[in-house]
Amino acid sequence: MTLPSATLFPQALLPLYIFEPRYRKMLADTLKSERMFSVAMQKPGRSRETPCIVAGLGLIRVSVDHEDGTSHLILQGISRVELRETVQYKPYRVHNIRPLQPETTDSVVIDALVAKVHELVRERVEIAPCPFPFPVLKKTSEHKSKSAETPKFSARDVLEYLENLPDADQVADLVSCALLPGHLERQTILETVPLDKRLKHLIHFLIDEISRCEKEGGKCVIQL
């Protein structure tokens, strides 16, 4: 599935509305098999459908059909993948894919980079509350409210969640998913497989985001 500004990170959840006939067919076929398909971002500046080479492979967790033939679904990211040769164009694209997994990196270097990411996340969230929850981040009792507004999370909530993640790979991807402002930055992170380089990119983007938020007086908007 090629979308203009979508990035599906491993572990992240992506809600989708399926209405095009070709993607209705794709969804039906997928639900009859392994319940998995890839989401790729459309290459910027291209008029014809041209997916970026690195995409996110996702598993359909929930799919709800409607009477008009459309569907709402929740896709959970499993892995970043490289799109290789195209084996089918119609009614929807089918590619051979190759999973992309980072190699083991010096843990001392990774630990230092993750500590810097934590520091920048705290600084960013203290400027303005996190505009939407990190995946699986739940409201604590002190956040419970009758308000229908999207809950906001403090720097402490976010940092506690990040510190409980099992590895730095998830930290890099979920922080990128939740806090990076634009789809091009998120796609850059998705395409960067080596963990140390991915964390360095994330640190650079977070510094830029903090600077932007400070200039805008805390009015930070995430472009989903």
Side-chain angles (χ1 to χ4, degrees):
M1 189 173 191
T2 308
L3 298 173
S5 59
T7 44
L8 176 62
F9 286 96
Q11 307 303 318
L13 300 177
L14 181 65
L16 292 171
Y17 175 55
I18 307 297
F19 61 92
E20 290 186 53
R22 59 175 176 158
Y23 289 140
R24 293 186 197 180
K25 170 64 174 170
M26 184 189 75
L27 177 60
D29 291 346
T30 301
L31 289 173
K32 293 175 183 176
S33 55
E34 281 77 22
R35 298 177 65 91
M36 293 188 290
F37 66 89
S38 295
V39 173
M41 192 178 81
Q42 167 75 3
K43 283 189 177 181
R46 303 291 183 90
S47 56
R48 298 181 61 183
E49 182 180 11
T50 310
C52 292
I53 296 300
V54 177
L57 176 65
L59 174 69
I60 299 171
R61 287 299 186 186
V62 179
S63 181
V64 179
D65 297 333
H66 305 299
E67 292 183 359
D68 62 359
T70 65
S71 302
H72 278 92
L73 60 87
I74 300 293
L75 197 65
Q76 181 174 13
I78 295 175
S79 174
R80 39 175 54 79
V81 295
E82 178 188 12
L83 301 184
R84 311 196 85 172
E85 63 272 13
T86 308
V87 298
Q88 173 183 302
Y89 286 95
K90 294 181 178 181
Y92 52 85
R93 299 177 73 100
V94 176
H95 291 254
N96 285 326
I97 61 173
R98 180 174 70 92
L100 300 173
Q101 299 293 337
E103 296 180 357
T104 303
T105 310
D106 186 343
S107 61
V108 175
V109 173
I110 296 300
D111 289 347
L113 292 171
V114 169
K116 183 62 177 178
V117 168
H118 285 183
E119 175 188 331
L120 292 170
V121 168
R122 178 185 297 276
E123 187 175 348
R124 162 61 182 82
V125 177
E126 286 178 347
I127 295 172
C130 186
F132 64 97
F134 282 71
V136 307
L137 182 59
K138 304 298 184 182
K139 290 200 295 182
T140 61
S141 58
E142 66 187 70
H143 288 112
K144 290 179 180 178
S145 168
K146 295 181 180 180
S147 171
E149 294 181 359
T150 300
K152 302 297 192 294
F153 296 89
S154 69
R156 184 188 67 183
D157 295 323
V158 173
L159 265 295
E160 285 180 356
Y161 171 72
L162 292 180
E163 288 167 359
N164 287 324
L165 289 176
D167 55 56
D169 197 58
Q170 286 191 25
V171 172
D173 286 343
L174 294 183
V175 170
S176 300
C177 174
L179 288 181
L180 291 189
H183 59 277
L184 294 179
E185 289 88 350
R186 294 197 297 270
Q187 182 65 27
T188 296
I189 295 294
L190 187 69
E191 292 181 358
T192 306
V193 179
L195 184 53
D196 56 340
K197 293 182 179 179
R198 200 185 326 156
L199 288 165
K200 288 175 183 178
H201 279 312
L202 177 56
I203 288 168
H204 172 75
F205 292 144
L206 285 173
I207 290 172
D208 287 347
E209 169 68 355
I210 289 167
S211 176
R212 182 181 71 87
C213 287
E214 289 175 337
K215 290 177 181 178
E216 296 178 3
K219 297 178 181 179
C220 305
V221 178
I222 303 295
Q223 301 172 15
L224 295 177

